[in-house]
Amino acid sequence: MEKKTTRVICARCGKQIPTDGIHREDYAELVKKWGYFSNKDGQKHRLILCERCYDEITAPFADRIEQEEETELL
């Protein structure tokens, strides 16, 4: 069976993150479906950020990000 490698790309820095079924590096994915009362009614946006960019972007408001420990990591 041929091994298929796909990549995701960080929307901020352009870093390519390989995803061949084995996570060697993680990333954040933000998906937003815009509804009424926005300027983007009916649009769906998807955004990938590498961990470094996520940390840099969220640093100014990190104390407002809800965090909880996960004991089972996949």
Side-chain angles (χ1 to χ4, degrees):
M1 176 181 258
E2 185 178 323
K3 187 176 182 179
K4 185 177 182 180
T5 300
T6 58
R7 296 184 186 275
V8 294
I9 299 172
C10 177
R12 183 171 182 239
C13 72
K15 178 180 181 177
Q16 293 186 12
I17 304 166
T19 56
D20 56 5
I22 301 170
H23 273 93
R24 300 174 208 280
E25 185 175 343
D26 212 351
Y27 55 89
E29 179 178 10
L30 172 68
V31 178
K32 172 62 179 159
K33 294 179 185 177
W34 293 96
Y36 297 118
F37 311 109
S38 76
N39 293 325
K40 299 169 192 66
D41 289 358
Q43 294 181 22
K44 179 180 177 181
H45 292 192
R46 180 174 176 260
L47 171 69
I48 299 291
L49 294 171
C50 69
E51 188 173 4
R52 181 179 55 89
C53 287
Y54 174 87
D55 290 343
E56 290 174 1
I57 289 170
T58 60
F61 50 85
D63 61 329
R64 295 187 182 136
I65 296 175
E66 291 184 29
Q67 297 180 32
E68 59 183 71
E69 289 292 321
E70 293 287 331
T71 56
E72 293 184 31
L73 304 176
L74 298 177

XYZ file of all heavy atoms in Angstrom:
611
model
N 0.834 -1.176 0.000
C 0.000 0.000 0.000
C 0.884 1.246 0.000
O 1.829 1.342 0.766
C -0.908 -0.029 1.234
C -1.764 1.210 1.380
S -2.800 1.141 2.845
C -4.322 0.701 2.084
N 0.549 2.189 -0.835
C 1.321 3.426 -0.955
C 1.015 4.352 0.211
O -0.134 4.546 0.582
C 0.969 4.121 -2.270
C 1.812 5.348 -2.529
C 1.466 5.974 -3.871
O 1.193 5.224 -4.816
O 1.466 7.205 -3.943
N 2.054 4.902 0.798
C 1.901 5.824 1.908
C 1.610 7.216 1.365
O 2.373 7.750 0.566
C 3.184 5.843 2.747
C 3.080 6.628 4.016
C 4.379 6.493 4.803
C 4.300 7.236 6.101
N 5.518 7.094 6.865
N 0.485 7.783 1.761
C 0.085 9.089 1.270
C 0.405 10.148 2.315
O -0.002 10.045 3.462
C -1.406 9.097 0.961
C -1.883 10.380 0.344
C -3.356 10.281 -0.003
C -3.809 11.562 -0.657
N -5.225 11.507 -1.001
N 1.158 11.150 1.920
C 1.506 12.232 2.821
C 0.778 13.491 2.377
O 0.833 13.869 1.214
C 3.029 12.496 2.822
O 3.690 11.310 3.241
C 3.389 13.627 3.762
N 0.088 14.094 3.304
C -0.546 15.369 3.026
C 0.071 16.391 3.968
O 0.699 16.045 4.957
C -2.068 15.307 3.236
O -2.325 14.907 4.583
C -2.712 14.324 2.292
N -0.128 17.647 3.652
C 0.444 18.701 4.481
C -0.622 19.739 4.775
O -1.500 19.977 3.969
C 1.609 19.373 3.768
C 2.781 18.471 3.516
C 3.931 19.232 2.883
N 4.999 18.334 2.506
C 5.960 17.930 3.332
N 5.974 18.334 4.566
N 6.913 17.122 2.906
N -0.491 20.303 5.935
C -1.291 21.475 6.247
C -0.322 22.641 6.335
O 0.867 22.461 6.649
C -2.101 21.309 7.547
C -3.155 20.235 7.391
C -1.211 20.992 8.721
N -0.802 23.824 6.043
C 0.065 24.992 5.989
C -0.439 26.044 6.949
O -1.622 26.385 6.953
C 0.115 25.553 4.557
C 0.685 24.488 3.615
C 0.950 26.830 4.497
C 0.619 24.849 2.156
N 0.460 26.565 7.764
C 0.129 27.625 8.709
C -0.290 28.872 7.926
O 0.424 29.321 7.025
C 1.324 27.938 9.603
S 1.020 29.312 10.761
N -1.439 29.415 8.281
C -1.967 30.584 7.576
C -1.166 31.850 7.858
O -1.231 32.813 7.105
C -3.425 30.811 7.984
N -0.385 31.847 8.911
C 0.372 33.052 9.279
C 1.780 33.047 8.702
O 2.197 33.998 8.063
C 0.426 33.188 10.800
C 1.117 34.450 11.261
C 0.932 34.624 12.760
N 1.536 35.856 13.221
C 2.489 35.903 14.132
N 2.939 34.794 14.686
N 2.970 37.060 14.515
N 2.529 31.978 8.936
C 3.946 31.970 8.530
C 4.221 31.115 7.298
O 5.310 31.163 6.740
C 4.822 31.509 9.687
S 4.706 29.748 10.076
N 3.242 30.304 6.881
C 3.423 29.474 5.697
C 4.150 28.165 5.949
O 4.428 27.425 5.008
N 4.449 27.873 7.197
C 5.144 26.630 7.521
C 4.298 25.427 7.103
O 3.105 25.381 7.358
C 5.413 26.561 9.025
C 6.091 25.293 9.471
C 6.316 25.309 10.974
C 7.030 24.044 11.396
N 7.327 24.051 12.827
N 4.932 24.450 6.461
C 4.250 23.228 6.077
C 4.388 22.208 7.195
O 5.496 21.940 7.665
C 4.831 22.677 4.783
C 4.563 23.564 3.596
C 5.028 22.930 2.297
O 5.353 21.751 2.245
N 5.057 23.722 1.243
N 3.263 21.645 7.603
C 3.242 20.659 8.682
C 2.805 19.330 8.084
O 1.670 19.192 7.627
C 2.274 21.092 9.802
C 2.663 22.479 10.324
C 2.259 20.070 10.932
C 1.605 23.146 11.174
N 3.704 18.335 8.036
C 3.335 17.054 7.438
C 2.312 16.309 8.293
O 2.389 16.315 9.518
C 4.658 16.287 7.374
C 5.542 16.927 8.373
C 5.079 18.341 8.511
N 1.345 15.704 7.637
C 0.352 14.885 8.328
C 0.176 13.607 7.524
O -0.617 13.550 6.595
C -0.997 15.619 8.458
O -1.434 15.996 7.163
C -0.902 16.844 9.331
N 0.923 12.596 7.880
C 0.839 11.313 7.182
C 0.167 10.256 8.052
O 0.448 9.090 7.943
C 2.227 10.850 6.740
C 3.203 10.754 7.901
O 2.788 10.960 9.058
O 4.388 10.480 7.658
N -0.729 10.707 8.923
C -1.408 9.787 9.825
C -0.737 9.701 11.181
O -1.312 9.214 12.136
N 0.497 10.170 11.264
C 1.233 10.177 12.532
C 1.538 11.632 12.863
O 2.193 12.322 12.097
C 2.555 9.387 12.426
C 2.263 7.946 12.035
C 3.330 9.463 13.737
C 3.504 7.150 11.681
N 1.016 12.096 13.997
C 1.274 13.478 14.385
C 2.692 13.597 14.937
O 2.998 13.062 15.988
C 0.278 13.937 15.460
C -0.972 14.474 14.888
N -2.082 13.696 14.688
C -1.291 15.713 14.457
C -3.036 14.431 14.162
N -2.581 15.654 14.008
N 3.540 14.274 14.206
C 4.899 14.543 14.673
C 4.983 15.972 15.196
O 5.919 16.342 15.870
C 5.890 14.354 13.534
C 5.871 12.964 12.963
C 6.772 12.868 11.748
N 6.343 11.859 10.819
C 6.582 10.568 10.949
N 7.232 10.121 11.972
N 6.157 9.722 10.041
N 3.978 16.761 14.829
C 3.916 18.158 15.230
C 2.442 18.536 15.223
O 1.692 18.143 14.337
C 4.686 19.008 14.226
C 4.800 20.442 14.585
C 5.685 21.201 13.609
O 6.450 20.568 12.850
O 5.605 22.416 13.606
N 2.011 19.287 16.210
C 0.601 19.632 16.285
C 0.354 21.045 15.788
O 1.297 21.825 15.589
C 0.102 19.477 17.723
C -1.363 19.059 17.789
O -2.036 19.047 16.732
O -1.838 18.754 18.897
N -0.883 21.368 15.585
C -1.266 22.683 15.095
C -2.670 22.990 15.601
O -3.396 22.110 16.053
C -1.232 22.733 13.560
C -2.061 21.663 12.898
C -3.410 21.886 12.603
C -1.512 20.438 12.573
C -4.178 20.904 12.001
C -2.273 19.463 11.969
C -3.607 19.704 11.682
O -4.360 18.724 11.092
N -3.057 24.246 15.523
C -4.395 24.671 15.928
C -5.240 24.873 14.681
O -4.766 25.402 13.681
C -4.320 25.969 16.718
N -6.482 24.441 14.759
C -7.413 24.639 13.657
C -8.614 25.412 14.183
O -9.240 25.031 15.164
C -7.873 23.291 13.096
C -8.864 23.439 11.968
C -9.281 22.100 11.385
O -8.951 21.050 11.969
O -9.948 22.109 10.344
N -8.907 26.506 13.527
C -10.049 27.335 13.891
C -11.053 27.270 12.750
O -10.701 27.519 11.593
C -9.608 28.785 14.107
C -10.708 29.814 14.301
C -11.423 29.583 15.631
C -10.136 31.213 14.252
N -12.282 26.901 13.065
C -13.347 26.857 12.066
C -14.484 27.733 12.563
O -14.913 27.604 13.706
C -13.857 25.411 11.838
C -15.001 25.395 10.843
C -12.729 24.510 11.372
N -14.939 28.619 11.719
C -16.027 29.522 12.084
C -17.053 29.559 10.962
O -16.721 29.835 9.817
C -15.480 30.938 12.337
C -16.545 31.993 12.542
C -17.405 31.717 13.754
C -18.444 32.820 13.944
N -19.556 32.396 14.747
N -18.304 29.257 11.303
C -19.422 29.407 10.381
C -20.114 30.712 10.745
O -20.668 30.841 11.835
C -20.394 28.238 10.503
C -19.805 26.923 10.066
C -20.814 25.813 10.234
C -20.192 24.475 9.906
N -21.132 23.367 10.139
N -20.053 31.679 9.864
C -20.617 33.001 10.132
C -22.113 32.981 9.867
O -22.584 32.433 8.893
C -19.944 34.049 9.253
C -18.511 34.231 9.608
C -17.442 33.632 9.008
C -17.969 35.029 10.649
N -16.281 34.009 9.611
C -16.579 34.884 10.623
C -18.528 35.865 11.603
C -15.736 35.533 11.513
C -17.695 36.519 12.494
C -16.311 36.345 12.441
N -22.848 33.617 10.763
C -24.292 33.668 10.651
C -24.796 35.073 10.427
O -24.055 35.975 10.018
N -26.052 35.247 10.732
C -26.680 36.555 10.585
C -26.001 37.589 11.475
O -25.365 37.254 12.464
C -28.161 36.469 10.947
C -28.941 35.573 10.031
C -29.572 34.441 10.520
C -29.040 35.850 8.678
C -30.298 33.611 9.677
C -29.762 35.030 7.824
C -30.382 33.914 8.335
O -31.076 33.103 7.499
N -26.147 38.817 11.116
C -25.629 39.956 11.873
C -24.108 40.047 11.819
O -23.468 40.584 12.712
C -26.129 39.956 13.324
C -27.608 39.766 13.439
C -28.146 38.585 13.927
C -28.470 40.758 13.001
C -29.513 38.411 14.009
C -29.847 40.591 13.077
C -30.372 39.406 13.577
N -23.527 39.470 10.781
C -22.095 39.636 10.534
C -21.930 40.103 9.092
O -22.866 40.037 8.304
C -21.328 38.330 10.751
O -21.530 37.450 9.667
N -20.753 40.536 8.760
C -20.473 40.917 7.373
C -20.095 39.712 6.518
O -19.738 39.869 5.357
C -19.351 41.965 7.326
C -19.781 43.276 7.934
O -20.936 43.679 7.809
N -18.864 43.960 8.601
N -20.142 38.521 7.104
C -19.741 37.300 6.400
C -20.860 36.258 6.412
O -20.596 35.066 6.420
C -18.488 36.726 7.062
C -17.296 37.657 7.021
C -16.203 37.126 7.939
C -15.125 38.140 8.160
N -15.570 39.321 8.885
N -22.110 36.706 6.416
C -23.257 35.794 6.488
C -23.101 34.624 5.520
O -22.838 34.814 4.335
C -24.554 36.534 6.140
C -24.984 37.513 7.211
O -24.319 37.609 8.246
O -26.011 38.184 6.996
N -23.254 33.415 6.044
C -23.231 32.224 5.209
C -21.858 31.724 4.826
O -21.732 30.716 4.149
N -20.785 32.379 5.261
C -19.427 31.939 4.926
C -18.889 31.024 6.019
O -19.222 31.170 7.189
C -18.489 33.127 4.773
C -18.807 34.029 3.607
C -17.817 35.178 3.510
O -16.699 35.123 4.014
N -18.240 36.249 2.849
N -18.043 30.088 5.611
C -17.337 29.218 6.556
C -15.851 29.463 6.366
O -15.337 29.336 5.258
C -17.666 27.752 6.303
C -16.946 26.799 7.232
C -17.325 25.362 6.916
C -16.567 24.384 7.780
N -16.918 22.988 7.454
N -15.169 29.821 7.424
C -13.723 30.071 7.380
C -13.003 28.968 8.150
O -13.461 28.535 9.211
C -13.386 31.423 8.015
C -13.895 32.591 7.228
N -13.503 33.875 7.498
C -14.754 32.677 6.177
C -14.100 34.706 6.656
N -14.868 33.992 5.852
N -11.866 28.533 7.619
C -11.014 27.529 8.276
C -9.604 28.065 8.280
O -9.103 28.521 7.253
C -11.060 26.206 7.520
C -10.208 25.124 8.157
C -10.432 23.789 7.433
N -9.563 22.779 7.968
C -8.418 22.395 7.403
N -8.020 22.934 6.275
N -7.680 21.461 7.965
N -8.962 27.990 9.421
C -7.643 28.579 9.612
C -6.756 27.602 10.366
O -7.174 27.038 11.375
C -7.816 29.876 10.408
C -6.602 30.598 10.940
C -5.799 31.196 9.792
C -7.045 31.699 11.881
N -5.544 27.378 9.879
C -4.553 26.524 10.537
C -3.418 27.411 11.032
O -2.939 28.284 10.307
C -3.968 25.483 9.556
C -5.055 24.562 9.009
C -2.831 24.690 10.192
C -5.644 23.608 9.999
N -2.981 27.189 12.274
C -1.825 27.895 12.832
C -0.859 26.882 13.424
O -1.283 25.977 14.156
C -2.249 28.861 13.947
C -3.107 30.054 13.539
C -3.609 30.774 14.777
C -2.331 30.994 12.643
N 0.424 27.017 13.118
C 1.427 26.176 13.777
C 1.477 26.592 15.246
O 0.961 27.648 15.635
C 2.787 26.314 13.102
S 3.597 27.917 13.310
N 2.093 25.780 16.071
C 2.107 26.065 17.510
C 2.817 27.378 17.834
O 2.375 28.143 18.686
C 2.762 24.911 18.268
C 2.636 25.053 19.772
C 3.120 23.838 20.529
O 3.632 22.883 19.909
O 2.986 23.847 21.767
N 3.889 27.672 17.132
C 4.625 28.912 17.383
C 3.762 30.136 17.089
O 3.670 31.056 17.901
C 5.914 28.972 16.555
C 6.739 30.240 16.795
C 8.032 30.256 15.981
N 7.814 30.089 14.568
C 7.586 31.093 13.706
N 7.552 32.326 14.128
N 7.406 30.847 12.431
N 3.091 30.133 15.952
C 2.234 31.267 15.598
C 1.049 31.377 16.549
O 0.657 32.482 16.941
C 1.759 31.147 14.153
S 3.078 31.489 12.956
N 0.483 30.249 16.941
C -0.610 30.261 17.912
C -0.163 30.937 19.203
O -0.851 31.809 19.731
C -1.087 28.835 18.195
C -2.114 28.766 19.297
C -3.460 28.934 19.019
C -1.725 28.545 20.617
C -4.400 28.892 20.033
C -2.660 28.504 21.640
C -3.995 28.669 21.342
O -4.918 28.632 22.361
N 1.017 30.536 19.696
C 1.536 31.122 20.940
C 1.768 32.622 20.798
O 1.446 33.399 21.697
C 2.829 30.430 21.363
C 2.594 29.008 21.847
O 1.434 28.660 22.173
O 3.576 28.243 21.896
N 2.330 33.040 19.674
C 2.602 34.466 19.465
C 1.312 35.287 19.355
O 1.221 36.383 19.899
C 3.457 34.661 18.213
C 4.878 34.161 18.384
C 5.702 34.213 17.103
O 5.181 34.657 16.053
O 6.869 33.801 17.139
N 0.328 34.760 18.662
C -0.930 35.484 18.486
C -1.717 35.565 19.788
O -2.304 36.595 20.116
C -1.782 34.824 17.380
C -1.141 35.091 16.018
C -3.221 35.340 17.402
C -1.769 34.297 14.891
N -1.737 34.488 20.546
C -2.555 34.448 21.761
C -1.854 34.985 22.996
O -2.498 35.183 24.024
C -3.046 33.014 22.050
O -1.918 32.158 22.229
C -3.939 32.507 20.918
N -0.569 35.257 22.934
C 0.171 35.733 24.110
C -0.475 36.950 24.782
O -0.569 36.979 26.010
C 1.624 36.025 23.743
N -0.940 37.955 24.046
C -1.526 39.125 24.710
C -2.809 38.826 25.486
O -3.159 39.555 26.392
C -1.827 40.084 23.552
C -0.952 39.647 22.435
C -0.816 38.157 22.602
N -3.517 37.767 25.153
C -4.751 37.468 25.860
C -4.802 36.040 26.378
O -5.866 35.490 26.628
C -5.979 37.758 24.984
C -5.939 37.151 23.605
C -6.342 35.849 23.381
C -5.515 37.911 22.534
C -6.322 35.302 22.115
C -5.488 37.373 21.254
C -5.891 36.070 21.045
N -3.650 35.447 26.609
C -3.576 34.055 27.042
C -4.271 33.821 28.378
O -4.775 32.738 28.634
C -2.127 33.590 27.116
N -4.329 34.837 29.237
C -4.989 34.642 30.523
C -6.500 34.522 30.379
O -7.195 34.152 31.308
C -4.636 35.776 31.487
C -5.088 37.144 30.984
O -5.123 37.356 29.763
O -5.413 37.990 31.832
N -7.020 34.803 29.184
C -8.459 34.683 28.941
C -8.808 33.435 28.134
O -9.965 33.227 27.799
C -8.964 35.927 28.215
C -8.828 37.156 29.075
C -9.473 38.343 28.422
N -9.266 39.500 29.270
C -8.912 40.692 28.834
N -8.743 40.894 27.553
N -8.748 41.690 29.669
N -7.837 32.617 27.820
C -8.087 31.374 27.092
C -8.386 30.283 28.111
O -7.606 30.054 29.028
C -6.869 30.976 26.234
C -6.634 32.028 25.154
C -7.072 29.593 25.615
C -5.393 31.787 24.337
N -9.525 29.642 27.938
C -9.874 28.550 28.845
C -8.962 27.365 28.578
O -8.791 26.951 27.439
C -11.329 28.131 28.640
C -12.312 29.177 29.108
C -13.749 28.696 28.986
O -13.992 27.472 29.073
O -14.610 29.560 28.797
N -8.376 26.837 29.644
C -7.465 25.706 29.516
C -7.861 24.644 30.524
O -8.269 24.949 31.641
C -6.025 26.136 29.808
C -5.490 27.146 28.844
C -4.056 27.531 29.186
O -3.286 26.729 29.699
N -3.695 28.755 28.883
N -7.749 23.392 30.109
C -7.936 22.276 31.027
C -7.038 21.144 30.587
O -6.695 21.033 29.411
C -9.402 21.824 31.086
C -9.989 21.377 29.778
C -11.459 21.018 29.901
O -12.275 21.928 30.071
O -11.760 19.815 29.812
N -6.606 20.356 31.542
C -5.683 19.258 31.255
C -6.429 18.074 30.661
O -7.509 17.704 31.118
C -4.976 18.804 32.534
C -3.970 19.789 33.067
C -2.750 19.948 32.167
O -2.276 18.937 31.617
O -2.315 21.093 32.020
N -5.864 17.474 29.628
C -6.370 16.240 29.031
C -5.431 15.124 29.459
O -4.220 15.245 29.328
C -6.394 16.344 27.507
C -7.387 17.352 26.961
C -8.826 16.868 27.086
O -9.062 15.635 27.072
O -9.701 17.728 27.225
N -5.988 14.046 29.969
C -5.138 12.951 30.429
C -4.902 11.906 29.341
O -3.954 11.142 29.404
C -5.743 12.258 31.664
O -7.072 11.827 31.342
C -5.799 13.234 32.825
N -5.781 11.869 28.333
C -5.610 10.925 27.230
C -5.311 11.717 25.967
O -6.155 12.440 25.476
C -6.861 10.091 27.047
C -7.117 9.156 28.213
C -8.305 8.265 27.955
O -8.572 7.928 26.789
O -8.956 7.893 28.932
N -4.110 11.564 25.452
C -3.705 12.267 24.240
C -3.694 11.302 23.079
O -3.142 10.214 23.166
C -2.309 12.888 24.416
C -2.170 13.836 25.602
C -0.722 14.296 25.724
C -3.093 15.026 25.448
N -4.302 11.717 21.989
C -4.354 10.857 20.798
C -3.317 11.283 19.809
O -2.935 12.358 19.678
C -5.736 10.912 20.153
C -6.857 10.417 21.037
C -8.195 10.598 20.324
C -6.676 8.953 21.379
